[in-house]
């Protein structure tokens, strides 16, 4: 009743769609699809082990702040809470939270399909497509900003569609609240909001004459202000990080030649691209003119991230809108052949995604297909690294600190190290670790990991190789490819404070 009253008060926002209401949700079958996805993920929740970034999120969460070099505060905050569950050093809690966010994406895409007029079959196809999509399955392998970002993008799309249907200020404020939380999770949500603004200006201009969208935008910005203040106080280091990542990806040309094709393959898999095409056709049709704003969001996201040298998975969550619209199209042109074909295509895509993107295979088999997705093998081998460091440092005096080349090594030693007897000061010049500053004083001897003799030459007068990180049976991961030598660094060329500016690196 409250929504009906508000509609009467905000007459200009009414539309025929409001009277009709949203298509009923097929909650049971959608829940069944979601449950299957959750069970598959739960079966291999922690099979291999930690991913390096997960250590970093937990450690960042232990250093509460309104921002970090490479992300706003929400994901580290959630990581700290999840890792408090004392199972596998907190990994069970982290992975369970990742699966929960992926389940949310599946359900929300079905809700978006209902907002677009899709009934039971369309909702099932859309939910199944997200559950099978390589980019969504791969993101839910581990807990981090990618899986949470996907959730917030799809949630904002759903709430914006709902606000456009209902037309109330309250509905828009809810969308603004979730968008603000999304900005506190990852700054890429700003591109989603830009796309939404473009879509409304082009296809739903009368809505901009109401106060709802504007108040929602103000609310989202207000929620984001603390992170902006933090970034300003730290000389906009987040922008420096963004430029570094864009350069590493090859800039706009690299995105156009590599990241964009990767988006198509990772987003839909080869078999579900047709669903995107149907979604584009439907959103661009006269019948769906009121929902064409979703197409604008997709176009803006792809163009902006490509032009800025962004990674392939950045615009991926916007493509949930194409899955939803495509599923509605499939339902409207239903045929006996289609009834058999689409479930089969989704099932095959899901099997391919699970086999290549989750740790379901024996580790030797996963190593052989590492070129398809290195992330799976990158969750293998961290206990081995920590054990080898413990062995290499066991004869060193207790006060000798460890200086690592990146936050992954530092995080692994901080979280897994105590169980192996590593109780030392851990420092790094990588990303936010550098912002936390150097250890006090000047250490005559430092144990280093991942840094080469050339890296250490400006820091130490004497460098001694003590060993090298290895994996058994010829297995490989990203850390092994990069190489992690263990050096003893002696005769420092200054105090930690003097050396610290030179050890900074953002990537």
């Amino acid at each position: 009743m409250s929504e009906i009253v508000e509609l009467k008060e905000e007459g200009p926002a009414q539309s025929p769609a409001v009277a009709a209401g949203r298509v009923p949700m097929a909650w049971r079958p959608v829940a069944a699809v979601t449950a299957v996805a959750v069970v598959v993920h739960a079966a291999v929740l922690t099979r291999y082990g930690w991913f390096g970034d997960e250590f970093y999120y937990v450690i960042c969460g232990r250093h509460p702040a309104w921002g970090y070099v490479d992300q706003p505060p929400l994901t580290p905050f959630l990581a700290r809470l999840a890792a408090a569950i004392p199972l596998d050093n907190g990994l069970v809690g982290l992975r369970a939270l990742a699966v929960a966010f992926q389940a949310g994406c599946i359900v929300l895409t079905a809700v978006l399909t209902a907002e677009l007029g899709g009934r039971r079959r369309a909702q099932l196809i859309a939910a199944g497509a997200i559950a099978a999509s390589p980019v969504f399955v791969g993101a839910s392998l581990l807990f981090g900003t990618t899986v949470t970002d996907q959730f917030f993008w799809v949630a904002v799309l759903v709430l914006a569609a709902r606000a456009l249907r209902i037309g109330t200020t309250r509905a828009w404020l809810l969308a603004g609240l979730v968008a603000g939380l999304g900005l506190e999770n990852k700054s890429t949500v700003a591109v989603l909001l830009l796309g939404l603004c473009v879509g409304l200006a082009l296809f739903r201009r009368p809505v901009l004459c109401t106060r709802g969208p504007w108040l929602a935008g103000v609310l989202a910005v207000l929620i984001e202000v603390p992170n902006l203040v933090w970034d300003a106080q730290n000389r906009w280091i987040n922008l420096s990080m963004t430029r570094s990542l864009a350069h590493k990806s090859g800039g706009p040309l690299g995105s156009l030649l590599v990241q964009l094709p990767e988006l198509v393959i990772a987003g839909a898999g080869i078999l579900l691209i047709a669903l995107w095409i149907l979604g584009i056709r439907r959103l661009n049709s006269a019948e769906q003119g009121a929902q064409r704003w979703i197409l604008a969001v997709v176009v803006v996201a792809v163009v902006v991230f490509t032009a800025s040298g962004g990674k392939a998975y950045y615009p991926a969550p916007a493509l949930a809108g194409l899955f939803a619209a495509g599923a509605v199209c499939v339902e409207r042109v239903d045929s006996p052949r289609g009834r058999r074909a689409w479930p089969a295509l989704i099932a095959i895509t899901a099997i391919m995604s699970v086999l290549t993107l989750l740790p379901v295979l024996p580790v030797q088999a996963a190593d052989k297909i590492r070129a398809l997705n290195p992330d799976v093998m990158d969750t293998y081998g961290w206990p081995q690294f920590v054990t080898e460091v413990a062995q290499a440092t066991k004869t060193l005096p207790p006060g000798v600190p460890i200086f690592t080349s990146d936050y992954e090594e530092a995080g692994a030693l901080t979280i897994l190290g105590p169980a192996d007897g590593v109780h030392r000061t851990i420092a790094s010049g990588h990303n936010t670790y550098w912002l936390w500053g150097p250890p006090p004083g000047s250490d005559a001897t430092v144990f280093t990991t991942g840094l080469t003799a050339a890296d250490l030459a400006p820091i130490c007068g004497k460098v001694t190789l003590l060993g090298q990180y290895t994996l058994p049976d010829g297995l490989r991961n990203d850390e092994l490819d990069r190489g992690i030598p263990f050096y003893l660094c002696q005769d420092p060329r200054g105090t930690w404070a003097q050396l610290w500016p030179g050890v900074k690196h953002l990537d």
Side-chain angles (χ1 to χ4, degrees):
M1 287 296 295
S2 62
E3 290 183 349
I4 295 175
V5 171
E6 287 188 50
L7 277 172
K8 291 180 178 178
E9 293 174 352
E10 300 183 19
Q14 294 186 41
S15 70
V18 174
R22 191 189 68 193
V23 169
M25 280 295 302
W27 287 116
R28 288 186 178 180
V30 169
V33 171
T34 307
V36 170
V38 169
V39 168
V40 170
H41 282 79
V44 292
L45 197 67
T46 61
R47 187 180 178 206
Y48 285 3
W50 289 75
F51 190 79
D53 286 0
E54 290 174 311
F55 295 122
Y56 182 50
Y57 295 131
V58 174
I59 300 299
C60 284
R62 294 177 182 177
H63 293 76
W66 280 109
Y68 304 91
V69 169
D70 29 22
Q71 68 257 329
L74 185 56
T75 288
F77 171 75
L78 294 175
R80 180 182 181 179
L81 294 181
I85 299 174
L87 295 173
D88 202 352
N89 289 298
L91 184 58
V92 171
L94 286 173
R95 295 289 172 80
L97 192 55
V99 174
F101 274 106
Q102 206 248 2
C105 290
I106 296 171
V107 173
L108 286 171
T109 302
V111 176
L112 181 60
T113 307
E115 291 287 351
L116 298 182
R119 298 185 180 277
R120 182 180 183 276
R121 185 157 183 262
Q123 293 171 32
L124 282 174
I125 290 174
I130 293 294
S133 167
V135 76
F136 282 88
V137 173
S140 57
L141 163 68
L142 53 100
F143 180 74
T145 53
T146 301
V147 69
T148 49
D149 191 47
Q150 290 175 344
F151 173 84
F152 282 111
W153 275 64
V154 181
V156 171
L157 288 175
V158 169
L159 293 173
R162 177 178 178 272
L164 286 167
R165 173 174 58 83
I166 294 176
T168 66
T169 299
R170 184 183 302 173
W172 279 109
L173 287 176
L174 180 57
L177 171 64
V178 173
L181 291 174
L183 288 169
E184 286 289 4
N185 176 71
K186 196 168 183 178
S187 299
T188 51
V189 171
V191 178
L192 165 61
L193 298 182
L194 174 63
L196 181 57
C197 290
V198 171
L200 294 181
L202 291 177
F203 306 116
R204 301 296 294 269
R205 191 169 300 173
V207 175
L208 296 178
C209 296
T210 65
R211 61 184 182 180
W214 300 102
L215 291 176
V218 170
L219 178 58
V221 171
L222 287 176
I223 295 173
E224 169 65 356
V225 163
N227 178 242
L228 294 175
V229 171
W230 179 91
D231 208 21
Q233 291 173 338
N234 288 276
R235 301 181 180 181
W236 302 103
I237 196 169
N238 191 260
L239 295 180
S240 299
M241 180 69 189
T242 301
R243 286 193 294 269
S244 175
L245 291 176
H247 178 74
K248 190 175 181 180
S249 298
L253 183 61
S255 289
L256 185 62
L257 298 179
V258 178
Q259 305 291 341
L260 196 56
E262 185 180 322
L263 169 65
V264 175
I265 296 173
I270 300 299
L271 301 179
L272 296 182
I273 294 174
L275 199 58
W276 282 358
I277 296 173
L278 292 174
I280 293 171
R281 290 176 56 184
R282 180 158 183 82
L283 290 173
N284 201 39
S285 67
E287 180 184 356
Q288 286 289 299
Q291 307 295 353
R292 201 171 292 170
W293 62 272
I294 296 177
L295 193 56
V297 170
V298 174
V299 172
V300 167
V302 172
V303 169
V304 169
F305 288 127
T306 301
S308 62
K311 295 183 179 180
Y313 57 82
Y314 286 178
L319 301 172
L322 298 186
F323 278 140
V328 176
C329 187
V330 169
E331 184 181 57
R332 296 295 171 87
V333 293
D334 202 6
S335 67
R337 179 179 297 179
R339 284 185 175 275
R340 295 188 299 270
W342 284 106
L345 291 175
I346 291 172
I348 294 171
T349 301
I351 292 171
M352 293 170 62
S353 296
V354 168
L355 289 177
T356 56
L357 300 170
L358 296 181
V360 298
L361 298 174
V363 66
Q364 289 80 9
D367 182 58
K368 292 184 184 302
I369 62 170
R370 192 164 66 95
L372 296 176
N373 174 45
D375 288 349
V376 173
M377 282 305 297
D378 288 346
T379 65
Y380 181 86
W382 284 112
Q384 176 80 8
F385 164 75
V386 172
T387 298
E388 291 181 1
V389 171
Q391 290 295 319
T393 58
K394 67 180 180 180
T395 60
L396 297 178
V400 173
I402 297 176
F403 185 73
T404 72
S405 67
D406 62 33
Y407 60 63
E408 296 173 307
E409 298 160 20
L413 291 170
T414 301
I415 293 176
L416 304 181
D420 262 338
V422 179
H423 301 281
R424 299 177 183 273
T425 299
I426 311 293
S428 179
H430 190 207
N431 291 10
T432 308
Y433 265 88
W434 181 83
L435 272 188
W436 293 330
S442 177
D443 293 290
T445 302
V446 177
F447 180 87
T448 69
T449 69
L451 296 162
T452 65
D455 295 329
L456 294 171
I459 302 173
C460 310
K462 180 181 178 182
V463 176
T464 306
L465 181 65
L466 298 183
Q468 179 89 20
Y469 168 56
T470 60
L471 282 177
D473 303 321
L475 298 173
R476 309 288 299 183
N477 60 22
D478 181 67
E479 295 294 314
L480 199 63
D481 287 345
R482 186 172 57 82
I484 305 183
F486 303 149
Y487 280 100
L488 202 61
C489 174
Q490 296 172 300
D491 299 334
R493 302 187 187 279
T495 65
W496 278 110
Q498 291 169 334
L499 297 171
W500 203 246
V503 303
K504 171 186 176 183
H505 63 107
L506 306 179
D507 54 55

